[in-house]
Amino acid sequence: MKSSLLIAFTAILIFSFRPAFSQIDSSLLKSTATADTAKKKLNMDAIYERPFLKLGKLPVSIGGYMEANYQYVGTSGITAGNQFQFRRFSLFVASTISPHIKFLSEIEYENDPTGDPGEATSGPEFGIEYAAVDVEFNPLLTLRGGLILNPIGAFNQNHDGPKYEFTDRPIAMTQMLPDTWSNPGFGIYGKQYDNHWMFGYEFYVTGGFDDAIIDNTQGKTFLPAAKSSLTRFSSSASGEPLYTGKLSLGNDQIGELGLSYMGGVYNTWEVEGAQVDNKRSVNIYDVDFNTKLSQWHTSITAEWAWVFVDLPADYTPEYAHKQYGGYIDIVQPIIHGKILDWDNATINLAVRGEYVEWNGDKFAATGLREYNDLKSIMPAISFRPTPQTVLRLNYRFQTARDITGNTIGAALGATRGVSFGLATYF
C-alpha cells in the first residue's frame, strides 16, 4: 500500500510538471538553501529549515536528502560481516498556496534497523512521512492539519541525517520512543521572536498507539511496534485521541530548552459499543536541550525521555510499566576553512553517549530492580565539504544487560563496530 501510494504521487508530480521539465533551463532553478542548514531558530522550525530548489515562477519547491553507509558490527563475537546499506532517500515538496497558507510533504524510502546496530532490517519501506497544510492567522496562532510529526522531544522533529555526525539514529529515540512518529491529526502552534529570545508552543490531537506496544515480537513494552500498523492512518485503535504538546524557550546565546508531553489511551477497550477492557494509557515526558559554546564553537545536543504504560495485571515482568533513556551529542570543529576546492569546509571530532532502560520496574516477589538496559558510546570524525554534506566515520562500543542484570554475551564481549557513511541534502 505504501509503495503504491508513493508511485501514484510521483507519477502525478512528474506529469503535472512535464511541460516545464521538457524545456527546463538550469538558470530557472533557484536555491532557497540557507548558508548553513545547521543554523536554525527552534527545533519546531526544522521542518521548513531545509534547502529547497524553486523552479522558475512555479509555486512548488523541491528538495531532499539521502544516506548511505558501510558497517561492520559484531555482537557477542557474532558478526554479519561487511554490510553496505542504503538507509534513506527523502523527497520534500513544498508550496506556498497563498499568503499565510503553506503546504509541505516528505516522501521517504527507508531501509534502516531503526537505530539498533547489528539488528536486521525489516525490509525497505516507502511512505509519506509528512504532509500537512499550515494556515497562519497570526505568528502566535497557526492551524496545522494533515499527516504531522508529533512534537515529542527534539529528534522527532529534527531528524534529517545530514545534520548529524553519526550514521545511526539515537537508540532511545528509535527503540524506546517510536521516532520518526507521524500521525494524521490537527493542531495549533505559535512562535514569537524578540531580540535574542525565542518562544514556541505546539498542541496537536492525532491518531496514536495500539495494543501492539504490549503485544509484539520483541517480547517487551515496545512503542515502535505501533508504527507497523497502516490502519492508524485512517482509524484509531482506541477511538481516543493522542494528545501531544510542547513548549520551547530559546536564546541564541544560551541555547534551546524544550519540554514536551504525549499521551492517551492506546488499547482497544470497546468493540461495537460493548466494553471489552479497561482504558489503558501511555504517557511520555521528554526534555531536550541544545546549545553552542561560542568561544570554541562546540555544539551540544541532548534529549531524555520517560515512558509510562498501563499494563494488564496478568502481564509477565518482561513487560515494563516504566522506561527511560536518552542521548547526548558533543561536536567539536577542529579545522574550518578552505580544504581542496571547498571554501567552507569543516572537520569535526564528535562523541555520542547513549543510555536506554526498557524496564524500570521491580520484581513483585522480591522487590529487586529489573533491568534490560543498554549503554553505548560512539566517537566520530566527520568531514563537511559544505554544511549540507557530511562524510562520517564512527566507532561504537555498546553493552547491554538482561532483565536480571546479567551482561548479555559477557563471555564473548559486547557490541563493537565501525561504520562509515555519507549523507547529503540535494
Side-chain angles (χ1 to χ4, degrees), residues 240-321:
E240 304 278 347
L242 181 70
Y243 299 98
T244 313
K246 184 173 184 180
L247 295 175
S248 300
L249 181 65
N251 182 290
D252 58 13
Q253 297 178 337
I254 300 174
E256 176 187 349
L257 175 67
L259 302 173
S260 51
Y261 163 80
M262 181 168 67
V265 176
Y266 69 85
N267 65 318
T268 303
W269 61 276
E270 187 177 53
V271 176
E272 296 182 352
Q275 184 171 340
V276 295
D277 194 2
N278 296 324
K279 291 184 179 181
R280 304 191 187 280
S281 63
V282 54
N283 295 283
I284 305 165
Y285 303 88
D286 191 292
V287 57
D288 62 83
F289 178 74
N290 67 82
T291 188
K292 188 170 185 177
L293 306 179
S294 57
Q295 183 176 355
W296 301 284
H297 305 286
T298 308
S299 297
I300 301 174
T301 303
E303 183 171 347
W304 191 269
W306 299 262
V307 177
F308 301 91
V309 179
D310 289 341
L311 296 175
D314 58 349
Y315 262 50
T316 60
E318 288 79 9
Y319 293 85
H321 295 82

